[in-house]
Amino acid sequence: AGVHRVQRVPKTETQGRVHTSTATVAIMPECDEVDVKIDKTDLQITTMRSGGAGGQNVNKVETAVDLLHKPTGIRIKCTQQRSQLKNKEQAMKMLMGKLYDIQIEERQAEERERRGNQVGTGGRSEKIRTYNWKDSRCSDHRLGQNFPLAQFLSADIDPMISAMIAQDQAEKLKELADESSAQ
């Protein structure tokens, strides 16, 4: 993942100038649908009288529900229905909706961060690979190596992958050595 640069001389170019374009690639995992689970011990439910219009019923029967989700501090008061059970069900639906929104926002923020780490600003200076048609080569800028373009375009990328794995392992060994020498 990162910025890929393409350099080519189009057939319509009469003076042989090289045209450069870039494409930003990010590899993202597929996300499952968010499932909201509420533990009953995380809830504090109290009842009260509704008040307002509705005659004697709202003044004598405790139909209103005050629901508090302790971990998030979300409090929902529901007085819309004339039944305590219906108000409780509606308050639970509202709470689940709010928790769902929170989880979706957390997931989107995590995804934005992951995507940003992979592609950076998307500028040409952050390129990881250049496909040069004029010189028939594919340059990997992280490795500092060139590969035949025809080989790369025919999906024979094993040499590049092997070199990337070797470089990654060398970096991890260096980090491990630095950590052990610092202690």
Side-chain angles (χ1 to χ4, degrees), residues 51-136:
Q56 229 177 21
N57 186 59
V58 295
N59 294 325
K60 21 183 248 196
V61 181
E62 293 195 351
T63 56
V65 173
D66 183 13
L67 189 134
L68 173 67
H69 187 245
K70 294 173 189 173
T72 59
I74 295 175
R75 169 171 257 133
I76 296 175
K77 292 182 182 179
C78 189
T79 61
Q80 296 170 344
Q81 305 292 329
R82 290 179 58 97
S83 155
Q84 188 183 97
L85 182 62
K86 288 181 182 177
N87 278 333
K88 183 178 175 185
E89 288 173 358
Q90 190 161 4
M92 285 296 288
K93 285 180 186 175
M94 292 166 72
L95 176 64
M96 288 182 75
K98 288 185 183 223
L99 293 176
Y100 177 81
D101 289 344
I102 289 171
Q103 286 184 351
I104 291 291
E105 180 58 38
E106 287 173 357
R107 179 174 283 177
Q108 288 173 345
E110 184 179 297
E111 193 173 304
R112 274 192 303 272
E113 182 181 336
R114 198 175 314 132
R115 184 179 292 124
N117 289 341
Q118 284 188 19
V119 298
T121 63
R124 283 189 192 178
S125 63
E126 295 178 332
K127 64 189 175 288
I128 62 166
R129 198 169 293 135
T130 297
Y131 309 93
N132 191 312
W133 262 259
K134 184 178 176 191
D135 299 333
S136 188

Side-chain angles (χ1 to χ4, degrees), residues 27-56:
I27 300 168
M28 303 300 291
E30 289 185 16
C31 295
D32 299 330
E33 187 62 31
V34 175
D35 191 23
V36 178
K37 290 183 176 69
I38 300 174
D39 188 6
K40 299 292 181 194
T41 59
D42 291 341
L43 298 177
Q44 178 181 335
I45 301 171
T46 54
T47 58
M48 60 194 144
R49 294 186 179 102
S50 265
Q56 229 177 21

